[in-house]
Amino acid sequence: MKGAVIRLVLVMGLLAIISRAQMLRVDSGTPVTLAAGALLLCGLFAGKVAKGFGLPRLTGYLLVGVAVGPYALGFIPNAGVKGLELVKGLAVSLIALVAGTELRLGLIRQVGTRVALLCAGVCGLTFVVCFGALFAFKPLLPFMASMTVAQGLAVSALVSTVVVSFSPTVTIAIVQETSARGSFTEFLMALVIIGDLFVMVAFALAAGITKASFGGGLDVAGLLGGVGWELFGSVGVGCVLAVAVLVYMRGVKQELPLFLVGLSFTAAEGGARLHLSPLLVSLAAGALVANLDERSGERIHHAIQQAGLPVFALFFAAAGAGLKLDALVTVGPVALVLVALRGVAIWFSCRKLAPADDPRLRRYLWMGLISQAGVTFGLAALVSRTFPSFGPNVEVLIVAMITAHELVGPVLTRRALSASGEIRADEAAGTA
Amino acid sequence: MQALLVLLSIAALSLLASSRVLDPGRFPALARLAASGFLFLLLGILLGPSVVGLLTPGNLEGLRPLVALGLGTAGVILGLNLEPRLLRLLPRPVYSAALAHAGSAFLFVALPLVAPLLLAFKLPPQSAVGAAALLGAAASLSSGHFAVLAYRAGRMDRARGLGVALLTMLDDAVGLGVLALALVLSAASHVGEGLGLVCLAVLLGVMCGALLAFLTHSLKDLAELTTVTLGGVALVAGAAAYLRVSALLAGVACGATLALVGGRTAERVSRALGRVERPSFLVLVFLVGCGVHARDWGAWALVPGFVGLRFLGKVLGGKLAQKLAGSALELPPRLGYALIAQGGLALCLVAEYGMLVPGGLSQRVLDVVVVGAVANELLAGQAFRQVLTPTPATARAPRPDVEVAT
């Protein structure tokens, strides 16, 4: 670990020199490439340091991103972090592709109903708790204080659907890092993925109702069409991509990691442009490939492990650099109360509703559900764009919550997997 | 969305270029352009703002980080090839021969083209000299890929093929030296500041190279080595782009430092970089093509002069180089004809100049060199036949799928 610390300090020292030298220039050039290189190197070595402390590598990536980012030491300017949005989309797609290869038909048949029921229970209870709290906080939140009761209810519902969301990205990255395998891990992964499907549907409905409450009119057909397109369109496009992957794997047989990176980039960018869910597109593609041809699924898994390290290190370090620490100051108290309430709601619902046949689920599952990352960021940004009058304030509140969840979530997820006894290796080569 | 479409087009073209559709027997010129990557240059010109307009100037502005990364990668690869041990072993006549053919082409192009730049375009002397120097630098460069292909196909003996390749590698140094000079003259408001910026680029490269050597020193895992290598290259290119100094020169300094102090680590880094060399080169070439103003008639007027004078310079410089090399290096007859292909570094030089020297002049230099490079690539195929001795009946057939770095 000593070597990793020395290397991390040296990289940060060079970054400090570069940022100091930049002050001598009247006009600076593009900082995106610098941000990519710096976060990649810092992330990699911070991950090793975190591992030395018994923490997930992912926590190291996030913390070093926060440290060198624009809101702490300021070695990387904000424009550089924003320029890495493409990488974030790519990472989410890659992670979803791997997660899809884990979704075997047999597994879905085996745990699907139980997972869906538990998911509905956890999401429902968490939603109710957060919804109640937000509406109670209405007079304390400046952007909600002047709203009518109907508007307040609608906005509370909208924000609560975002707050409920989990993080498949973090869960899958930690599962990869620890090589965890077993029924508990499968249950946890299925739960976070299905939870996000629930959130997508609920978010679309809540957004439609909120628009109506602000005088936009309730377009039920448009609402259902939008939700249907996002869900079924994503699965359809995912199936097309799966066929492309199978054709490539049988016909070309070369440079598979490069091909998968290109495919994930296409899914991320194209999916976002077509109002589809990039996560669902890649998930469907991965699942179909694994169920049609098990060997191809394994090859994809192996190939992404090869290409995964730089993408994951960059993604999570960039996510850390993008965390607005100043947001914690302005809406911190309300955000922390919501974080605590969400945590208690998830813990309570898991304790009461998780299947009794496996005591590990009742005791440790809640820890794997605390993280929030890519999907929550995306929904918060969508609220900001769709509702310019109050959306940016909602985004600040949610980002403050994500900041807290990002710092404790990965640690808790790893602890859950460790406590369940399903971690197989200290570290899988070339993973997050 | 446009950027996505373009990247997908590049991917499709990559598959096409590496397939057997472009059969050298049926479309020799097209196959040559595909093998050297210049097909991507033409695609860039076609899709860029001045022809079809699929990519807008705004899109190109957004893709500048990719250009910086491509230039940095090219620089680090060039720097890594500067093996001090090998360079020390080369006898002096080899350096004289390289300087002769590169210098001749430089002088044949730079000196005559100062006049139209000064008179017709009414430029200040310092800018005109800087631009003419850069045109000369681009003209001085040659690519040895025809020689490499010829000896791989058994149409040229190995010693002669390697001799040509060695000379073309050495003239890269001339090109980089002149780029530094042109940036000193034109990239800042006065020469002192320009010199400071070039020194800053080199210092940055040396620091990043030393750091990269230390970071990669004890890494055993291949994924970690690749990650650190990519991060190091992005760091040096990105820092240069951020500080608005030359990413290419910083990259060369980084690679050379790594080669000097890295020992065996440098070889491993070189192998890791080799995996991304071709894709990053093709994307860079495509983006350079997008930057061409195809409707600048002033630039078109300069192209025949650039190509013609360079040809003359190379032919005469080749004769001089043969005399100077003597027995130290085995070279083919009519060496100048083997040096007509211009290669990718010329594009890197003008791309860098265009990024760091704002204004119409650097744009015109880019237009002239890019169009000239395509013309030279097409001309080179015919010219290289003059170098080859008649093919023996037993010679092996050329491999159509051979790809070489330019």
Side-chain angles (χ1 to χ4, degrees):
Chain A
M1 193 179 79
K2 194 179 159 194
V5 172
I6 292 171
R7 284 167 169 80
L8 181 60
V9 169
L10 281 174
V11 175
M12 288 175 74
L14 183 63
L15 272 178
I17 292 171
I18 291 166
S19 65
R20 185 52 66 95
Q22 188 277 328
M23 288 176 190
L24 304 173
R25 298 282 278 146
V26 178
D27 56 336
S28 56
T30 169
V32 180
T33 322
L34 172 71
L39 289 173
L40 198 53
L41 290 176
C42 288
L44 182 81
F45 292 109
K48 284 173 166 259
V49 174
K51 188 175 164 280
F53 281 111
L55 295 169
R57 281 186 180 212
L58 203 150
T59 304
Y61 304 157
L62 285 165
L63 286 177
V64 84
V66 171
V68 299
Y71 301 101
L73 294 171
F75 293 160
I76 298 169
N78 206 5
V81 179
K82 280 189 177 162
L84 294 174
E85 287 298 324
L86 271 182
V87 179
K88 289 186 184 175
L90 169 67
V92 169
S93 281
L94 269 179
I95 291 168
L97 196 64
V98 176
T101 60
E102 305 274 352
L103 287 179
R104 304 283 157 73
L105 204 59
L107 172 72
I108 295 168
R109 278 199 199 120
Q110 195 186 332
V111 296
T113 315
R114 290 195 305 165
V115 169
L117 284 175
L118 178 61
C119 195
V122 173
C123 290
L125 187 67
T126 312
F127 175 82
V128 170
V129 169
C130 294
F131 174 76
L134 269 166
F135 191 69
F137 287 143
K138 181 176 168 283
L140 299 175
L141 291 166
F143 64 92
M144 282 178 76
S146 60
M147 290 178 188
T148 63
V149 172
Q151 287 172 341
L153 286 169
V155 172
S156 299
L158 180 73
V159 178
S160 299
T161 53
V162 182
V163 168
V164 164
S165 62
F166 308 126
S167 176
T169 330
V170 171
T171 309
I172 295 161
I174 297 283
V175 168
Q176 285 231 337
E177 177 182 329
T178 55
S179 291
R181 289 281 179 279
S183 59
F184 180 87
T185 309
E186 285 167 356
F187 204 94
L188 174 62
M189 278 177 55
L191 190 68
V192 290
I193 290 165
I194 292 174
D196 265 3
L197 296 183
F198 277 22
V199 167
M200 277 178 218
V201 176
F203 179 80
L205 295 173
I209 291 166
T210 308
K211 266 186 200 164
S213 73
F214 279 85
L218 188 59
D219 177 11
V220 177
L223 201 63
L224 294 177
V227 174
W229 168 245
E230 186 164 352
L231 290 179
F232 298 109
S234 300
V235 173
V237 172
C239 292
V240 173
L241 288 187
V243 173
V245 172
L246 286 171
V247 168
Y248 183 91
M249 288 174 85
R250 284 175 191 175
V252 182
K253 296 177 184 171
Q254 283 177 345
E255 300 294 348
L256 185 61
L258 205 61
F259 174 76
L260 292 176
V261 168
L263 190 90
S264 300
F265 176 71
T266 310
E269 277 297 286
R273 307 280 173 184
L274 295 171
H275 300 289
L276 299 171
S277 160
L279 185 95
L280 203 51
V281 170
S282 298
L283 200 69
L288 195 66
V289 169
N291 283 292
L292 288 178
D293 184 348
E294 197 172 329
R295 248 187 97 214
S296 295
E298 280 167 14
R299 275 181 67 202
I300 289 179
H301 202 100
H302 182 66
I304 293 181
Q305 274 198 333
Q306 278 187 343
L309 180 62
V311 175
F312 290 169
L314 187 51
F315 170 72
F316 287 109
L323 292 179
K324 294 170 184 160
L325 295 184
D326 51 347
L328 277 178
V329 180
T330 53
V331 290
V334 174
L336 286 178
V337 171
L338 284 172
V339 166
L341 286 173
R342 178 179 176 270
V344 170
I346 290 173
W347 170 79
F348 182 78
S349 49
C350 285
R351 292 287 283 194
K352 294 292 171 195
L353 304 174
D357 57 340
D358 187 347
R360 295 176 305 170
L361 293 174
R362 292 205 159 179
R363 286 164 76 177
Y364 312 123
L365 192 65
W366 69 274
M367 289 194 266
L369 303 178
I370 297 298
S371 291
Q372 282 187 320
V375 174
T376 322
F377 268 123
L379 293 179
L382 200 57
V383 172
S384 181
R385 280 201 304 273
T386 315
F387 302 99
S389 57
F390 64 87
N393 296 309
V394 170
E395 190 183 13
V396 170
L397 176 72
I398 294 172
V399 168
M401 291 184 70
I402 295 171
T403 307
H405 286 137
E406 290 263 48
L407 297 178
V408 296
V411 180
L412 286 176
T413 305
R414 188 183 169 118
R415 188 166 290 178
L417 294 173
S418 173
S420 73
E422 293 187 352
I423 290 183
R424 291 193 177 186
D426 245 7
E427 183 185 355
T431 61
Chain B
M1 195 64 184
Q2 276 115 326
L4 176 65
L5 279 174
V6 167
L7 287 172
L8 289 176
S9 312
I10 294 178
L13 203 67
S14 307
L15 284 175
L16 181 72
S18 59
S19 75
R20 293 180 189 278
V21 176
L22 289 174
D23 181 5
R26 289 166 65 195
F27 311 106
L30 210 57
R32 268 202 302 276
L33 287 178
S36 63
F38 276 50
L39 203 57
F40 290 77
L41 195 69
L42 293 176
L43 180 76
I45 297 172
L46 190 71
L47 299 184
S50 66
V51 185
V52 174
L54 188 63
L55 271 180
T56 62
N59 292 141
L60 289 184
E61 191 65 29
L63 291 168
R64 278 174 89 99
L66 271 183
V67 178
L69 187 62
L71 290 172
T73 309
V76 174
I77 291 170
L78 275 172
L80 279 168
N81 287 334
L82 295 174
E83 278 189 51
R85 195 178 53 84
L86 188 71
L87 292 175
R88 274 198 300 271
L89 283 175
L90 290 177
R92 190 172 292 173
V94 174
Y95 286 105
S96 307
L99 196 63
H101 85 85
S104 306
F106 173 80
L107 292 174
F108 267 72
V109 170
L111 290 181
L113 290 187
V114 172
L117 288 172
L118 267 175
L119 301 174
F121 304 126
K122 294 177 181 154
L123 295 168
Q126 188 177 316
S127 302
V129 170
L134 201 76
L135 285 170
S140 71
L141 298 171
S142 301
S143 169
H145 68 280
F146 276 102
V148 175
L149 286 175
Y151 88 69
R152 279 188 195 169
R155 292 188 294 152
M156 179 182 265
D157 67 72
R158 185 181 166 82
R160 284 177 172 175
L162 288 178
V164 175
L166 183 63
L167 283 189
T168 57
M169 276 168 63
L170 286 176
D171 62 28
D172 290 352
V174 176
L176 289 169
V178 181
L179 170 70
L181 179 69
L183 291 179
V184 166
L185 292 173
S186 320
S189 51
H190 56 88
V191 173
E193 191 187 345
L195 185 64
L197 292 179
V198 169
C199 291
L200 179 62
V202 174
L203 180 67
L204 187 68
V206 170
M207 283 164 65
C208 288
L211 181 68
L212 192 55
F214 181 68
L215 295 181
T216 50
H217 178 60
S218 56
L219 285 182
K220 300 278 188 293
D221 183 68
L222 184 65
E224 285 188 348
L225 179 74
T226 308
T227 305
V228 174
T229 302
L230 292 178
V233 172
L235 183 71
V236 67
Y242 187 43
L243 298 174
R244 297 198 70 248
V245 296
S246 170
L248 186 64
L249 293 177
V252 171
C254 174
T257 307
L258 187 58
L260 197 65
V261 301
R264 286 192 176 176
T265 307
E267 285 171 31
R268 294 166 65 216
V269 169
S270 186
R271 274 201 299 275
L273 264 184
R275 295 170 69 187
V276 296
E277 181 181 359
R278 182 87 182 157
S280 67
F281 172 70
L282 295 180
V283 172
L284 178 66
V285 162
F286 170 80
L287 291 174
V288 171
C290 289
V292 169
H293 281 194
R295 291 173 195 173
D296 179 5
W297 307 119
W300 283 103
L302 287 174
V303 169
F306 175 80
V307 175
L309 290 167
R310 180 179 180 275
F311 190 88
L312 209 58
K314 283 289 174 190
V315 170
L316 295 176
K319 280 185 181 171
L320 188 59
Q322 259 173 329
K323 277 185 191 166
L324 289 171
S327 60
L329 197 63
E330 196 166 338
L331 293 168
R334 296 181 176 185
L335 172 66
Y337 288 93
L339 301 170
I340 302 302
Q342 209 168 337
L345 185 61
L347 303 178
C348 293
L349 293 190
V350 287
E352 189 69 278
Y353 188 70
M355 282 179 82
L356 296 176
V357 182
L361 181 61
S362 59
Q363 177 63 53
R364 187 158 283 170
V365 169
L366 184 135
D367 295 344
V368 172
V369 172
V370 168
V371 178
V374 176
N376 283 326
E377 190 65 27
L378 292 171
L379 199 61
Q382 299 299 318
F384 198 80
R385 290 185 189 169
Q386 307 294 319
V387 184
L388 296 173
T389 46
T391 317
T394 53
R396 281 183 290 143
R399 286 167 54 194
D401 57 342
V402 169
E403 286 178 354
V404 287
T406 53

